[in-house]
Structure formats: structure tokens, C-alpha cells
Amino acid sequence: MKIKYMTFTRSEDWEQALQNNQDRPLLLLKHSTACPISSHAFGEFVVYTQRPKPLVDFALVRVIESRGISNQIETDLVLEHQSPQIILIKQRKVFWHATHWQVTYERIVQQVNQLIHHNSF
């Protein structure tokens, strides 16, 4: 199965995504590779990204391996760090976020559809 998301490993990756975010929403998952709850959220995220979504970009941050980027995201978005944590961003603003067991395929579909239908791209 082809990976359909970017993995942020450098702060430049995050900064570039923010620049692109003026035009396209970004769905970002902050994932802890040491947490079973986060593994479940990651699975939900991966299933969602496998379906074509031309209006949304997808990204992953592994919070243990890329702590600096995770911290930068927390600061830039003024959003307390959680993991797992999914964040839907449009024009550098948090449109929606959820943590832990709230990160489900159904919630992702609902929130992305709401953003797309209530905003013009």
C-alpha cells in the first residue's frame, strides 16, 4: 500500500507545510510509536489517507523521534501537546483537533467534510 502522507522529520518540513496551508488544509497526526492508543489512532489515520482526497494534505509527526518538531507545532498552533493527537489546520488555524480514542475514521471523515463544505478552496 502506497504511503499517502508526508512524515515531518525536520522543522523545514513543518514550515513548508504551513506555507502550503494557505491554500490547502492539512490533516496532521502526532503519533507516539510507544503507545498502543496512538497505534490505534495511526491505523485510523492511515485508512483515511488511503482514499483520494485531492483537497487535503496529510502529515505525520512521530513525537518521540521528532520531539523538536512536535514542540514547534504546539507553539505555532498554541495547542497543548497530546499524543495521539490529530489536527486539521486551514490557513495556519486549528479547525478541529482530537486526542486519544477520539481519533477515529468516522470523526476524521466528519470533520474534513465539514471543513470542505463550509469553506471555499
Side-chain angles (χ1 to χ4, degrees):
M1 202 177 285
K2 184 178 176 192
I3 294 177
K4 304 270 185 174
Y5 54 86
M6 303 170 275
T7 301
F8 295 160
T9 57
R10 304 171 306 135
S11 60
E12 292 83 7
D13 300 332
W14 167 242
E15 291 164 10
Q16 181 65 48
L18 278 181
Q19 287 178 354
N20 295 342
N21 190 243
Q22 291 301 107
D23 301 319
R24 293 175 56 87
L26 174 68
L27 184 66
L28 170 69
L29 179 67
K30 292 173 76 177
H31 169 49
S32 170
T33 53
C35 171
I37 297 170
S38 195
S39 292
H40 180 267
F42 176 70
E44 299 287 295
F45 173 77
V46 168
V47 168
Y48 185 77
T49 64
Q50 297 306 306
R51 292 167 172 82
K53 315 284 184 315
L55 299 175
V56 181
D57 291 329
F58 306 110
L60 174 74
V61 173
R62 291 181 179 94
V63 298
I64 294 171
E65 296 83 352
S66 301
R67 176 60 67 190
I69 298 167
S70 179
N71 292 343
Q72 185 177 353
I73 291 167
E74 178 182 23
T75 299
D76 290 349
L77 297 179
V78 190
L79 183 63
E80 181 181 355
H81 166 76
Q82 300 280 323
S83 67
Q85 182 175 39
I86 196 156
I87 309 166
L88 184 57
I89 307 160
K90 176 67 175 150
Q91 297 177 336
R92 297 178 174 247
K93 294 185 174 108
V94 175
F95 179 81
W96 167 73
H97 71 98
T99 65
H100 297 85
W101 294 112
Q102 297 171 343
V103 181
T104 65
Y105 174 84
E106 292 79 17
R107 290 289 311 273
I108 296 168
V109 168
Q110 176 189 41
Q111 294 300 320
V112 171
N113 286 344
Q114 183 177 343
L115 175 67
I116 290 170
H117 291 98
H118 288 96
N119 292 280
S120 58
F121 297 105

